[in-house]
Coordinates of all heavy atoms in Angstrom, one line a residue:
I1447 N 100.5 108.0 80.5 CA 101.1 106.7 80.3 C 100.2 105.5 80.6 O 100.1 104.6 79.8 CB 102.4 106.6 81.2 CG1 103.5 107.5 80.7 CG2 102.9 105.1 81.3 CD1 104.6 107.7 81.7
L1477 N 92.0 104.1 87.7 CA 90.7 104.0 88.3 C 89.6 104.4 87.3 O 88.6 103.8 87.2 CB 90.7 105.0 89.5 CG 89.3 105.1 90.3 CD1 89.0 103.7 90.9 CD2 89.4 106.1 91.4
T1478 N 89.8 105.5 86.6 CA 88.7 106.0 85.7 C 88.4 104.9 84.6 O 87.2 104.7 84.4 CB 89.2 107.3 85.0 OG1 89.6 108.2 86.0 CG2 88.1 107.9 84.2
Y1526 N 102.4 103.0 102.0 CA 101.2 103.5 101.4 C 100.5 102.4 100.6 O 99.3 102.2 100.7 CB 101.6 104.7 100.5 CG 100.4 105.2 99.7 CD1 99.5 106.1 100.2 CD2 100.3 104.8 98.3 CE1 98.5 106.6 99.4 CE2 99.3 105.3 97.5 CZ 98.4 106.2 98.1 OH 97.3 106.7 97.3
A1534 N 91.4 98.3 100.3 CA 90.6 97.7 99.2 C 90.0 96.4 99.7 O 88.8 96.1 99.5 CB 91.5 97.4 98.0
A1545 N 76.1 94.7 100.4 CA 75.6 94.8 99.0 C 74.1 94.5 98.8 O 73.4 95.2 98.2 CB 76.4 93.8 98.1
K1553 N 67.6 103.4 94.5 CA 66.7 103.8 93.4 C 67.4 104.3 92.2 O 66.9 104.3 91.1 CB 65.8 105.0 94.0 CG 65.0 104.6 95.2 CD 64.0 103.5 94.8 CE 63.2 103.1 96.1 NZ 62.5 101.9 96.0
T1554 N 68.6 104.8 92.4 CA 69.4 105.3 91.2 C 70.8 104.9 91.3 O 71.3 104.5 92.4 CB 69.4 106.9 91.2 OG1 70.1 107.4 92.4 CG2 68.0 107.5 91.2
V1588 N 93.6 112.4 109.8 CA 92.9 112.3 108.5 C 91.8 113.3 108.5 O 91.0 113.3 109.4 CB 92.4 110.9 108.3 CG1 91.6 110.8 107.0 CG2 93.5 109.9 108.3

Side-chain angles (χ1 to χ4, degrees):
I1447 290 169
L1477 181 63
T1478 307
Y1526 173 81
K1553 300 294 180 199
T1554 65
V1588 177

